[in-house]
Amino acid sequence: MSDEDQNKVIDGRAVAKKVEAEVKAGVEELKSEKGITPGLATILVGDDPASKMYVRLKHKACDRVGIYAEDHPLPESTTQEELLDLIKTLNAREDIHGILLQLPLPGQLNEQEAMNAIDPAKDADGFHPFNMGQLLIGIEELVPCTPKGVIRALEEYNIDIQGKHAVIVGHSNVVGKPMAAMLVNRNATVSVCHVFTEDTSKFTKEADILVVATGVKHLIKEDMVKEGAVIFDVGISEENGKVYGDVDFENVIKKAALVTPVPGGVGPMTISILMQHVLMAAQKTA
Amino acid sequence: MSDEDQNKVIDGRAVAKKVEAEVKAGVEELKSEKGITPGLATILVGDDPASKMYVRLKHKACDRVGIYAEDHPLPESTTQEELLDLIKTLNAREDIHGILLQLPLPGQLNEQEAMNAIDPAKDADGFHPFNMGQLLIGIEELVPCTPKGVIRALEEYNIDIQGKHAVIVGHSNVVGKPMAAMLVNRNATVSVCHVFTEDTSKFTKEADILVVATGVKHLIKEDMVKEGAVIFDVGISEENGKVYGDVDFENVIKKAALVTPVPGGVGPMTISILMQHVLMAAQKTA
């Protein structure tokens, strides 16, 4: 990669570090001034290796910023009632300010019911319908972490949002839909594309800000992006032990103004926002 | 208007009549089978003539479909506590299944707090954050009535949504944002434009389905729409005692496949959906 292109890489790890430093300072202040240590409880059902890794990464981040973290590993055979009982217990605990239910859950469990059972005030992931609804109407408190990380990166890199054409590829509940809501809240003109879109490239070519979250390896090629676009690659897929983003990074970067790499882009930012949420939730109880 | 153009008018009153007939049948069934009469309580604070008229129209609709309706007029000087007390009382009443807080409220009152106080299960208008969040993640139960009316009209006129480019002009919490969510949920490619959009006509010209909700008289001209577009005019503005939509209806209709008039378009559909919601809420308690 040329030096010039190197300067176009959005450094997700650096953004995350900055967020974590802020969280760490906030945690210390809350401890010293109110005697409150923010606490996160994670719930991991079953033995999925990827889920285990994600939970481990989140616990490590808690350690870095001074958040108390405990894991509740449940067996693959857990019943809905057992899961709901645990959530109820965690909802009631004063030392736990954030609850994170690692998804996906085994097939016998009702994900939506479980997520709805989490106290919205402790909903570290921001997936509870109450928090999603607040987001839709412009009240952003606990909101999905990945799109919020994207917003933070836009701010860090001084990218204007208002009046810009933001195009989102992918309409998941976790990324695409909340991302669209956040960008609309900031007065971007927002287009949402997905697998049913007739000609996605027609939209991506017009995007000032492009967020791609499909899980399709290198879906976005150089000829599909606008000169000077700011691009966030949220997708991740694995092939022969190597991870790929949704963006053909090596080529797209020649045309883009800024683009996130995979890995080292959106992933670290997401976890740092999760830390921020646990602190926010704890501050609200002070 | 030519006969040909006459056939392109979306008859909002006819759609509303059909919805109301279904609601009426549902109400009768609920009465005879479960002994439950659906009940709507409206809350009207102050003396705004337009608000009074809207409440009156809603009560009339209740009469037509057999829903019990009662109004709670409160003085302009009502305090937040008094309003919240009334909502609490209505939340607890078994004979009231839907609660409608007529907006806007006088300046001393906190609208959002009042809306959040309504039991989401009785939220006839679909504005509660919990219901908005359900909508965003694809669970449409009680949702904002105007966009739901638009969806119903699309169904009645057999307009495919999936894969179509739907453009929404206006990003209000009441129409634009929930409309976008509903269309994304149905796999349309959705673009949201608004007052900060640089070139709205670039988007509207590409719209298969166009929903306009800005309150700007005749914002959408013939040269801004695509041949064969299906157009919903949600806007309403008054000038010298005459009401106007956001669409220059007389001219736009020449190019459109279908378009709603103002009045007689989206308005009646909205009220019929409100009736549907009260029935749905009552059915859930059976």
Side-chain angles (χ1 to χ4, degrees):
Chain A
M1 207 186 322
S2 69
D3 281 2
E4 199 201 331
D5 284 354
Q6 191 60 55
N7 287 329
K8 298 172 171 181
V9 180
I10 294 176
D11 189 344
R13 291 199 182 97
V15 174
K17 257 194 182 158
K18 192 165 171 192
V19 174
E20 283 192 11
E22 291 167 8
V23 173
K24 195 176 177 193
V27 168
E28 277 162 15
E29 195 183 308
L30 195 63
K31 280 183 193 173
S32 66
E33 290 189 4
K34 309 276 181 180
I36 296 171
T37 300
L40 173 69
T42 57
I43 305 173
L44 175 62
V45 189
D47 295 305
D48 181 65
S51 291
K52 275 184 160 174
M53 186 196 68
Y54 287 129
V55 167
R56 209 160 47 231
L57 287 172
K58 290 162 189 173
H59 280 254
K60 275 188 182 169
C62 286
D63 287 346
R64 287 196 298 274
V65 299
I67 288 175
Y68 165 74
E70 63 181 35
D71 187 34
H72 295 263
L74 296 178
E76 185 79 26
S77 60
T78 300
T79 65
Q80 185 75 6
E81 204 190 337
E82 287 163 344
L83 177 59
L84 294 180
D85 277 349
L86 172 58
I87 292 171
K88 207 184 280 182
T89 305
L90 295 171
N91 279 343
R93 272 179 54 186
E94 277 189 20
D95 60 330
I96 294 298
H97 306 93
I99 301 170
L100 185 143
L101 177 62
Q102 186 65 43
L103 302 178
L105 299 179
Q108 79 277 11
L109 297 174
N110 182 334
E111 265 180 26
Q112 194 61 51
E113 188 192 34
M115 287 196 285
N116 288 14
I118 296 173
D119 179 349
K122 296 190 176 188
D123 173 36
D125 259 339
F127 292 151
H128 192 286
F130 180 81
N131 289 319
M132 281 282 200
Q134 295 242 92
L135 163 58
L136 187 61
I137 61 177
I139 304 167
E140 297 184 12
E141 291 178 354
L142 300 176
V143 295
C145 298
T146 299
K148 190 172 170 187
V150 169
I151 295 292
R152 177 62 189 256
L154 287 167
E155 290 166 357
E156 288 299 321
Y157 283 83
N158 295 308
I159 308 299
D160 285 336
I161 301 175
Q162 183 162 301
K164 292 293 163 59
H165 187 199
V167 174
I168 296 154
V169 186
H171 64 341
S172 72
N173 290 336
V174 183
V175 181
K177 290 173 178 184
M179 185 81 257
M182 285 179 208
L183 289 163
V184 168
N185 285 341
R186 286 162 182 78
N187 299 319
T189 302
V190 176
S191 295
V192 181
C193 302
H194 41 70
V195 69
F196 297 100
T197 299
E198 254 180 55
D199 182 2
T200 298
S201 72
K202 213 184 78 181
F203 291 89
T204 57
K205 275 178 197 167
E206 301 279 333
D208 300 310
I209 298 166
L210 177 61
V211 181
V212 193
T214 65
V216 179
K217 175 191 163 187
H218 290 189
L219 175 72
I220 304 297
K221 315 280 187 206
E222 191 182 349
D223 64 350
M224 291 172 72
V225 304
K226 184 174 166 178
E227 193 79 41
V230 176
I231 302 173
F232 292 87
D233 186 351
V234 184
I236 195 152
S237 46
E238 233 190 282
E239 217 177 87
N240 304 322
K242 227 193 130 194
V243 296
Y244 295 91
D246 293 357
V247 173
D248 180 8
F249 181 83
E250 297 295 330
N251 294 304
V252 165
I253 200 166
K254 296 172 198 163
K255 226 166 154 188
L258 288 166
V259 56
T260 56
V262 174
V266 166
M269 301 187 316
T270 298
I271 292 181
S272 72
I273 298 294
L274 178 70
M275 297 300 107
Q276 195 184 60
H277 282 175
V278 181
L279 172 61
M280 281 165 60
Q283 283 168 332
K284 275 224 164 182
T285 67
Chain B
M1 205 186 321
S2 70
D3 281 1
E4 199 200 334
D5 285 352
Q6 191 60 52
N7 287 330
K8 298 173 170 182
V9 180
I10 294 177
D11 188 344
R13 292 200 181 96
V15 174
K17 258 195 181 156
K18 193 165 170 191
V19 174
E20 283 192 10
E22 290 167 12
V23 173
K24 196 177 177 191
V27 168
E28 277 162 14
E29 195 184 308
L30 195 64
K31 279 183 191 171
S32 64
E33 291 188 4
K34 309 276 182 181
I36 297 171
T37 301
L40 173 69
T42 57
I43 305 173
L44 175 63
V45 188
D47 294 305
D48 180 65
S51 292
K52 275 185 160 173
M53 185 195 68
Y54 287 129
V55 168
R56 207 161 48 231
L57 286 172
K58 290 162 190 173
H59 279 254
K60 274 187 183 170
C62 286
D63 288 346
R64 288 196 297 272
V65 298
I67 289 174
Y68 165 74
E70 62 181 35
D71 187 35
H72 294 264
L74 297 177
E76 186 79 25
S77 61
T78 299
T79 66
Q80 186 74 5
E81 204 191 335
E82 287 164 344
L83 177 59
L84 294 179
D85 277 347
L86 172 58
I87 292 172
K88 206 184 282 180
T89 306
L90 296 171
N91 279 343
R93 270 179 56 186
E94 278 190 18
D95 60 330
I96 294 300
H97 306 92
I99 301 169
L100 185 144
L101 178 62
Q102 185 67 43
L103 302 178
L105 298 178
Q108 79 276 11
L109 297 173
N110 183 334
E111 265 181 25
Q112 195 61 52
E113 188 192 34
M115 287 195 284
N116 287 16
I118 295 173
D119 179 348
K122 297 190 175 187
D123 173 35
D125 259 338
F127 292 151
H128 191 285
F130 181 82
N131 288 319
M132 280 283 198
Q134 296 243 90
L135 163 58
L136 187 61
I137 63 177
I139 304 167
E140 298 184 11
E141 291 178 355
L142 299 176
V143 294
C145 298
T146 299
K148 190 172 172 190
V150 169
I151 296 292
R152 176 63 189 253
L154 286 167
E155 290 166 358
E156 287 298 321
Y157 283 84
N158 295 307
I159 307 300
D160 285 336
I161 301 175
Q162 183 162 300
K164 293 293 165 61
H165 187 199
V167 175
I168 295 154
V169 186
H171 63 342
S172 72
N173 290 336
V174 182
V175 181
K177 291 174 177 184
M179 185 81 257
M182 285 179 209
L183 290 163
V184 168
N185 284 341
R186 287 162 181 78
N187 299 318
T189 303
V190 176
S191 296
V192 181
C193 303
H194 41 71
V195 68
F196 297 101
T197 299
E198 253 180 52
D199 182 1
T200 297
S201 73
K202 213 184 79 181
F203 290 89
T204 58
K205 275 178 195 165
E206 300 280 332
D208 301 311
I209 297 165
L210 177 61
V211 181
V212 193
T214 65
V216 179
K217 175 191 163 187
H218 289 192
L219 175 72
I220 305 295
K221 315 280 187 203
E222 190 182 349
D223 64 351
M224 291 173 72
V225 304
K226 185 175 166 178
E227 193 80 41
V230 177
I231 302 172
F232 293 88
D233 186 351
V234 183
I236 195 153
S237 45
E238 233 190 280
E239 218 176 85
N240 304 322
K242 225 192 134 196
V243 295
Y244 296 90
D246 293 356
V247 174
D248 179 9
F249 181 83
E250 296 296 328
N251 294 304
V252 165
I253 199 165
K254 296 173 197 162
K255 227 167 154 188
L258 288 165
V259 57
T260 56
V262 173
V266 166
M269 301 188 316
T270 298
I271 292 181
S272 72
I273 298 294
L274 178 72
M275 299 299 108
Q276 195 184 60
H277 282 175
V278 181
L279 172 61
M280 282 166 61
Q283 283 168 332
K284 276 224 163 181
T285 67

